[in-house]
Amino acid sequence: MDFSTKAFLLGLPVGFLFSFAMGPIFFMLLQSSLENGLRYAVFMIFGVVVADAVLLSIAYGGVGKLFSIFHIDFEFWVQILGGSLLLMLGVVNILKKKVTVYDTTFEKSRLIAKNITKGFFINILNPINFFEWAGTVALLKSKYHYTYFENMGFFGAALLGVFLTEFFIIFFASRLRHLIKPTFIKKVNFGTGILFIGFSAWLFWEAFT
């Protein structure tokens, strides 16, 4: 087994571990899968993976150093923005009266765009995600000394691991969808809303303390 293959195989479980962190996106994926089905929840995963790729590019390129040069508290503002987004989503989930059925092509397209956007912003505004990727980059540079292409293989495998793990999560959730009544989905929405408000409060607390 050559070194690049080892880098790829090492990256897969890293993506698995990152995606199983019980953060807000985990619950949003479950909610989307139960409410809208597998087909539309996949688009949320696409938004998540794109956000991870952006965070990874920032960490790998050292762009985060620019924030310290210009005396911008990167962590503080990510926590404030992430907390605000989760607070808004939490309130919307709690106040949601019914499960929406999408019939027309326009409505389906709107749901696709909505899920991609949600997945992207919830993931990119969670500061834990950035520091996970930044820590991984630092470890690779200090311990493994991979070449550029080996790094790309590792990170490509990690992103693939994220996608596959979250796909299996929504796949199994969607298999239960036909057994679940709309009243249960409303309870899931309410519970998810409470969790999001809890995550939001934690981010605000971290930002100001």
Side-chain angles (χ1 to χ4, degrees):
M1 185 183 296
D2 60 29
F3 206 53
S4 58
T5 304
K6 289 182 179 178
F8 183 87
L9 294 177
L10 182 62
L12 280 174
V14 169
F16 172 81
L17 292 173
F18 281 7
S19 59
F20 251 109
M22 296 291 283
I25 195 63
F26 179 88
F27 298 101
M28 181 59 81
L29 284 169
L30 288 178
Q31 178 193 1
S32 178
S33 182
L34 290 173
E35 188 172 341
N36 306 127
L38 177 66
R39 177 182 175 186
Y40 294 105
V42 167
F43 287 101
M44 186 172 289
I45 298 178
F46 177 74
V48 170
V49 173
V50 171
D52 276 334
V54 171
L55 292 173
L56 181 53
S57 299
I58 292 172
Y60 187 77
V63 179
K65 295 178 181 178
L66 292 176
F67 292 98
S68 60
I69 293 174
F70 292 102
H71 305 290
I72 298 173
D73 191 337
F74 174 80
E75 185 176 0
F76 173 81
W77 286 109
V78 169
Q79 288 169 335
I80 292 298
L81 292 172
S84 301
L85 176 64
L86 289 174
L87 178 61
M88 180 185 68
L89 289 174
V91 171
V92 168
N93 272 10
I94 289 173
L95 297 179
K96 188 181 291 186
K97 297 296 183 183
K98 62 180 181 178
V99 178
T100 305
V101 178
Y102 295 85
D103 293 323
T104 68
T105 301
F106 173 75
E107 288 175 331
K108 291 176 180 178
S109 299
R110 186 179 65 178
L111 177 60
I112 290 172
K114 179 181 176 182
N115 278 4
I116 292 174
T117 303
K118 272 188 179 181
F120 179 84
F121 281 106
I122 291 175
N123 207 38
I124 206 166
L125 292 177
N126 184 351
I128 294 175
N129 292 336
F130 174 75
F131 293 111
E132 284 178 341
W133 288 117
T136 303
V137 169
L139 179 65
L140 291 183
K141 289 183 176 180
S142 62
K143 183 176 180 180
Y144 291 98
H145 306 291
Y146 284 157
T147 65
Y148 173 80
F149 292 105
E150 287 165 345
N151 279 323
M152 293 304 101
F154 175 92
F155 293 130
L159 293 175
L160 178 61
V162 169
F163 179 86
L164 291 176
T165 305
E166 294 183 348
F167 178 82
F168 283 119
I169 290 171
I170 64 170
F171 175 80
F172 288 115
S174 67
R175 295 302 93 185
L176 301 175
R177 187 171 176 243
H178 67 285
L179 302 174
I180 295 174
K181 296 180 180 179
T183 52
F184 179 79
I185 295 180
K186 289 180 183 179
K187 291 178 181 179
V188 171
N189 290 341
F190 184 85
T192 304
I194 296 296
L195 286 169
F196 281 3
I197 291 174
F199 281 120
S200 171
W202 173 74
L203 286 175
F204 285 135
W205 174 265
E206 288 291 314
F208 290 105
T209 59

